[in-house]
């Protein structure tokens, strides 16, 4: 059943929320995207199929699909698309929609993204050691053991920052992000 | 883009380092600065820059992600100097460029991002800056002839696979999006033998090494296998993420697929430095996980392995596992 916050279908919202997303209506269903995608084999629907589902109003299935989460953001599909549809950017919008509607609020991908964003919003910069530690210990303790060895290897080579760097004007960044979130929230 | 006559050279560029340059890819920043010195240009860091958001911020909330990037653009304009803003990391380059391009193309996005920036008393007019990757600056502004003239220790006999990765050419950086050749030409001018590398713009897996390891390991395997098939001595890259994935995860690829690849992965600036006669240690050669020693021996260079410093521990410290 199509879910329609504000009376708009997911298809309409994706087109509206993605810069250049209105070109999605011109999709020819040629399949060049899926054929170019390095992780298509792991997706439950290729981008072409996902777009057909979206146009058919299969909102629930689209938001449940793992396709956007397996997108590696390599832009191969996008530069090859004969209709110049910003496919990679649409994948970002679909992830955002799936998170907002609680379809994917706890999985490895979103946990990683939220941990990453947490550090950026706290310090203004990424912090690899903290991110990897927080993510793997909370989400994947068994895998963390393997990663620890790798972190030691990198640390020995002087390639790990032990402390996060904090930018000076954090209040400015916070004000900008808060305002951006307010604007984005008002749109939905 | 074709001409690389070196007519656009400048002495100073605004510089956006990106978070990796301060951690996993310190070698890249160090070698880039030394190469800049040798070629007569400096990289002036944007004061108080913040993270570009990588791919993860865009996945969760698109407008704040654009605003995060735009703060850097606005600070760069305030600092002034040149119109050119240089990023050495392909992901940072893409995000900075994408934000500038899309703000210019889509008035609604421009308005909303500037509304957010105003909360921090900032503003950015799209098109003010020209956002460029470090490789583009070196190839276009300095030019191949100037670079070749600076070579004192040619890399003769070294077989290199030029690895561009995805984001330096896609979606719209002005080069061939699938088979660029400017890094090939640069390495040739340094004296190296550039092997054919059909996978040169394929993806390294990005953050998938953390959240979907099987996917990432297969992507890395394809790349390393392809370079090995063409008898490359090493893979040369221009992106911190590509370097980290191919270098640090090659061991896991080997155990996962029962393979035995030992291909070192260096930054193009490290090879430029070697060809310019800069000492390997100054270029942080030796900081790679897969050692480059054997490859460097082919060109008469020796990686300095830093003597390990004894780790001092507090007498009352808890017992810790040894690093060996």
């Amino acid at each position: 059943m199509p879910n329609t916050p504000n009376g708009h279908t997911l298809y309409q919202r994706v087109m509206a929320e993605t810069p250049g997303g209105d070109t999605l209506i011109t999709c020819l269903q040629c399949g060049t995207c899926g054929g170019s995608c390095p992780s298509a084999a792991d997706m439950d629907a290729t981008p072409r199929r996902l777009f057909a589902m979206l146009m058919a109003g299969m909102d629930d299935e689209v938001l449940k699909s793992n396709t956007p989460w397996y997108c590696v953001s390599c832009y191969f599909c996008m530069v090859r698309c004969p209709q110049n549809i910003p496919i990679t950017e649409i994948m970002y919008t679909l992830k955002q929609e799936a998170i907002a509607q609680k379809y994917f609020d706890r999985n490895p991908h979103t946990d990683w993204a939220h941990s990453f964003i947490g550090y950026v919003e706290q310090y203004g910069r990424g912090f690899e050691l903290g991110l990897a530690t927080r993510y793997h210990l909370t989400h994947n303790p068994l895998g963390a053991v393997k990663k620890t060895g790798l972190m030691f290897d990198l640390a020995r080579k002087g390639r790990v920052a032990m402390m996060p760097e904090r930018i000076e004007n954090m209040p400015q960044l916070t004000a900008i992000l808060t305002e951006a979130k307010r604007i984005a929230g008002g749109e939905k | 883009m074709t001409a690389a006559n070196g007519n656009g050279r400048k002495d100073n560029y605004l510089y956006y380092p990106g978070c990796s340059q301060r951690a996993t890819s310190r070698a890249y920043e160090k070698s880039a600065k030394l190469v800049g010195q040798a070629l007569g240009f400096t990289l002036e860091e944007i004061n108080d820059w913040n993270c570009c958001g990588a791919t993860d911020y865009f996945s969760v909330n698109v407008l704040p992600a654009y605003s995060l990037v735009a703060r850097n653009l606005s600070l760069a304009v305030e600092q002034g100097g040149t119109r050119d803003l240089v990023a050495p990391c392909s992901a940072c380059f893409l995000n900075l460029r994408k934000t500038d391009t899309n703000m210019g193309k889509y008035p609604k996005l421009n308005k909303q991002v500037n509304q957010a920036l105003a909360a921090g008393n900032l503003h950015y007019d799209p098109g003010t800056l020209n956002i460029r990757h470090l490789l583009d600056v070196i190839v276009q502004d300095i030019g191949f002839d100037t670079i070749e003239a600076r070579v004192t220790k040619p890399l003769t006999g070294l077989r290199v696979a030029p690895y561009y990765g995805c984001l330096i050419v896609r979606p719209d950086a002005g080069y061939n999006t699938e088979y660029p050749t400017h890094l090939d030409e640069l390495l040739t001018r340094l004296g190296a033998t550039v092997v054919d590398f059909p996978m040169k713009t394929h993806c390294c897996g990005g953050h998938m090494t953390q959240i979907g390891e099987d996917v990432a390991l297969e992507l890395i395997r394809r790349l390393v296998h392809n370079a090995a098939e063409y008898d490359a001595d090493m893979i040369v890259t221009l992106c911190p993420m590509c370097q980290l994935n191919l270098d640090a995860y090659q061991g896991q690829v080997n155990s996962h697929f029962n393979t035995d690849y030992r291909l070192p992965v260096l930054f193009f600036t490290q090879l430029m430095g070697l060809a310019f006669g800069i000492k390997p240690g100054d270029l942080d050669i030796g900081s790679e996980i897969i050692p480059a020693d054997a490859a460097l021996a082919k060109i008469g260079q020796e990686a300095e392995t830093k003597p390990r410093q004894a780790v001092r521990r507090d007498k009352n410290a808890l017992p810790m596992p040894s690093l060996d």
Side-chain angles (χ1 to χ4, degrees):
Chain A
M1 193 181 74
N3 61 63
T4 54
N6 286 356
H8 294 296
T9 64
L10 181 62
Y11 180 38
Q12 289 168 323
R13 288 203 307 284
V14 166
M15 291 206 287
E17 284 167 26
T18 315
D22 50 354
T23 52
L24 183 55
I25 203 164
T26 67
C27 173
L28 299 167
Q29 290 286 301
C30 69
T32 303
C33 43
S36 310
C37 178
S39 42
D42 297 298
M43 293 174 169
D44 49 28
T46 60
R48 178 203 61 75
R49 188 183 169 92
L50 194 73
F51 294 157
M53 289 156 64
L54 189 59
M55 291 172 187
M58 298 164 70
D59 297 6
D60 192 51
E61 290 87 343
V62 170
L63 292 174
K64 273 185 194 152
S65 163
N66 71 11
T67 301
W69 303 97
Y70 275 98
C71 168
V72 287
S73 303
C74 76
Y75 290 83
F76 234 130
C77 53
M78 204 162 132
V79 296
R80 285 180 170 179
C81 175
Q83 300 296 79
N84 295 315
I85 298 168
I87 302 170
T88 313
E89 310 299 347
I90 289 173
M91 294 298 163
Y92 283 127
T93 307
L94 285 171
K95 283 189 256 198
Q96 180 183 297
E97 282 285 337
I99 293 172
Q101 298 188 37
K102 309 271 183 233
Y103 278 85
F104 270 95
D105 62 344
R106 286 224 38 107
N107 79 344
H109 306 267
T110 51
D111 280 0
W112 176 262
H114 281 123
S115 303
F116 179 89
I117 289 172
Y119 277 104
V120 173
E121 291 185 344
Q122 195 179 349
Y123 297 102
R125 298 214 177 139
F127 178 42
E128 292 155 341
L129 178 63
L131 174 60
T133 311
R134 185 190 284 184
Y135 169 79
H136 289 294
L137 284 181
T138 54
H139 200 274
N140 180 19
L142 280 176
V145 178
K146 210 163 53 178
K147 300 282 185 212
T148 308
L150 186 61
M151 269 294 171
F152 271 133
D153 284 344
L154 288 167
R156 254 203 321 195
K157 303 279 186 175
R159 294 175 61 178
V160 178
M162 292 299 165
M163 295 289 290
E165 283 185 27
R166 187 196 289 271
I167 65 169
E168 276 168 36
N169 203 345
M170 213 38 232
Q172 181 189 52
L173 179 60
T174 308
I176 292 171
L177 293 178
T178 308
E179 177 63 7
K181 283 177 197 171
R182 194 192 61 76
I183 301 167
E187 287 251 308
K188 286 187 192 118
Chain B
M1 250 179 245
T2 46
N5 53 17
N7 286 338
R9 68 164 305 140
K10 298 173 188 73
D11 300 331
N12 187 37
Y13 292 91
L14 280 170
Y15 173 59
Y16 177 85
C19 305
S20 303
Q21 298 297 84
R22 298 297 142 84
T24 49
S25 68
R26 278 184 185 137
Y28 191 12
E29 176 159 71
K30 217 171 157 185
S31 54
K33 289 195 163 166
L34 288 172
V35 163
Q37 231 171 53
L39 295 170
F41 69 86
T42 50
L43 297 168
E44 181 191 332
E45 187 168 326
I46 303 171
N47 295 322
D48 212 37
W49 57 272
N50 57 257
C51 170
C52 77
T55 52
D56 296 290
Y57 215 128
F58 280 90
S59 307
V60 175
N61 210 336
V62 176
L63 185 63
Y66 275 111
S67 310
L68 180 80
V69 183
R71 177 176 177 268
N72 295 308
L73 300 176
S74 175
L75 292 179
V77 174
E78 268 186 9
Q79 199 164 328
T82 67
R83 210 175 97 73
D84 291 304
L85 172 61
V86 179
C89 166
S90 301
C92 301
F93 166 70
L94 172 96
N95 277 343
L96 294 165
R97 193 175 168 91
K98 176 167 103 178
T99 300
D100 178 62
T101 307
N102 284 352
M103 282 174 76
K105 252 166 119 176
Y106 307 108
K108 181 178 150 199
L109 180 71
N110 185 20
K111 193 176 142 233
Q112 290 183 332
V113 169
N114 269 309
Q115 198 182 332
L117 285 179
N121 287 318
L122 294 176
H123 182 82
Y124 179 70
D125 288 320
T128 311
L129 292 166
N130 184 20
I131 291 125
R132 307 178 64 188
H133 190 278
L134 180 65
L135 176 66
D136 176 55
V137 164
I138 288 179
V139 164
Q140 297 293 332
D141 293 5
I142 308 298
F144 295 128
D145 293 341
T146 311
I147 293 165
E148 192 173 354
R150 183 66 185 73
V151 172
T152 54
K153 286 190 170 178
L155 311 176
T156 315
L158 188 67
R159 293 176 62 85
V160 294
Y163 181 43
Y164 296 75
C166 7
L167 304 179
I168 192 180
V169 285
R170 290 193 292 268
D172 64 343
Y175 291 94
N176 187 306
T177 55
E178 301 193 15
Y179 208 81
T181 54
H182 52 308
L183 178 61
D184 300 43
E185 173 74 11
L186 173 66
L187 294 167
T188 306
R189 296 293 189 108
L190 298 178
T193 304
V194 176
V195 305
D196 193 18
F197 189 34
M199 302 279 290
K200 60 165 76 166
T201 61
H202 283 242
C203 176
C204 74
H207 68 182
M208 282 295 178
T209 41
Q210 304 300 317
I211 56 179
E213 204 172 75
D214 290 356
V215 179
L217 293 180
E218 166 60 13
L219 297 185
I220 297 169
R221 185 200 64 79
R222 291 179 202 172
L223 287 161
V224 178
H225 175 74
N226 192 215
E229 265 188 329
Y230 286 87
D231 285 331
D233 298 316
M234 65 167 62
I235 296 172
V236 179
T237 181
L238 40 83
C239 170
M241 185 86 253
C242 299
Q243 200 284 338
L244 182 69
N245 278 354
L246 265 58
D247 182 26
Y249 288 88
Q250 217 176 109
Q252 284 188 34
V253 166
N254 284 334
S255 42
H256 193 83
F257 295 102
N258 202 15
T259 50
D260 190 25
Y261 300 116
R262 301 285 296 163
L263 267 180
V265 189
L266 293 191
F267 292 107
F268 76 101
T269 43
Q270 289 178 299
L271 284 194
M272 289 182 80
L274 286 178
F276 292 171
I278 301 170
K279 278 196 275 179
D282 293 342
L283 299 161
D284 256 13
I285 287 175
S287 68
E288 61 286 342
I289 301 290
I290 310 283
D293 304 46
L296 295 184
K298 282 186 78 175
I299 50 168
Q301 299 259 16
E302 212 174 300
E304 292 163 38
T305 26
K306 288 177 198 155
R308 287 253 319 276
Q309 286 184 344
V311 184
R312 280 197 206 136
R313 286 177 42 220
D314 192 299
K315 265 188 280 182
N316 299 320
L318 289 169
M320 287 283 284
S322 153
L323 292 185
D324 289 312

